[in-house]
Amino acid sequence: MTLELSQFDVMAYLWETLDKTPDGAHIQYTISDIDMLWHMGFVDTERVSIETWRTAFESHRQPNGMFLIGHEAFLDLDQYRYKGEIHIPFDAMLINEGRYTDTGLQELIDLSIAPSCSLSLQQVDAFFTSLKKDFRDPQGLIVVGKEAKQRIKKLLEDSPSPL
């Protein structure tokens, strides 16, 4: 199941709902707030690096380290926003238990697990190389049971996709 927000004016809605400074014309962010927006999926993380996202706020930095953003500057942040489908997090505990071929497990990884994980494809591959080694049976199949699913669950909990 997916949710798509591309047709909804998210930025105008957010501006109306966010707490403003006493003058009512600005919102105030910390660097932690800015980073949180990137990590939680507000920003299109595949297109925009966290460094680029942070740079977008530099002209709004105040002497105290806070970022003071006016209405127009806030609306301009829409160019960085993720506008695609938002996916329900993958639940590793729902993986069918049993024996998988390398091809079958790779399909599960590519379609369900990797998109739910913030790690690079190389890191995901390294995780599953180890998992396959640990759970391969004498016939060459990978036995996915509760322990393997727990490892996958921990992977996704430790490194969730912003999407």
Side-chain angles (χ1 to χ4, degrees), residues 2 5 8 12 40 59 70 77 95 109 116 121 134 138 144 146 152:
T2 59
L5 299 176
F8 178 68
M40 67 180 272
S59 64
L77 295 173
I95 295 172
I109 294 164
S116 297
L121 291 178
D134 293 345
V144 177
K146 186 171 182 159
I152 297 167

Side-chain angles (χ1 to χ4, degrees), residues 14-146:
L14 289 174
W15 179 261
E16 293 304 317
T17 60
L18 290 170
D19 290 336
K20 311 288 184 306
T21 55
D23 68 3
H26 298 89
I27 59 168
Q28 189 169 287
Y29 282 148
T30 65
I31 190 66
S32 294
D33 296 328
I34 292 166
D35 286 356
M36 180 190 66
L37 288 168
W38 191 89
H39 287 288
M40 67 180 272
F42 179 79
V43 178
D44 187 342
T45 58
E46 289 188 7
R47 188 176 53 83
V48 180
S49 70
I50 194 164
E51 292 79 18
T52 300
W53 174 241
R54 288 174 180 161
T55 300
F57 290 87
E58 278 307 311
S59 64
H60 306 287
R61 184 185 290 270
Q62 303 300 299
N64 65 0
M66 299 293 285
F67 298 85
L68 197 62
I69 302 138
H71 182 255
E72 290 305 312
F74 181 80
L75 295 180
D76 285 344
L77 295 173
D78 188 61
Q79 65 185 301
Y80 302 101
R81 187 172 63 83
Y82 177 75
K83 296 176 181 150
E85 294 178 353
I86 299 170
H87 302 275
I88 294 173
F90 180 73
D91 184 353
M93 299 313 289
L94 296 178
I95 295 172
N96 290 328
E97 293 187 17
R99 289 174 167 70
Y100 285 76
T101 62
D102 285 274
T103 303
L105 185 58
Q106 191 61 50
E107 185 175 314
L108 176 66
I109 294 164
D110 293 342
L111 296 176
S112 299
I113 299 169
S116 297
C117 186
S118 64
L119 298 178
S120 70
L121 291 178
Q122 293 82 9
Q123 292 169 309
V124 171
D125 285 343
F127 171 86
F128 279 99
T129 296
S130 175
L131 186 121
K132 289 175 186 179
K133 183 177 87 82
D134 293 345
F135 294 100
R136 192 169 301 276
D137 71 9
Q139 291 80 34
L141 298 173
I142 301 108
V143 180
V144 177
K146 186 171 182 159

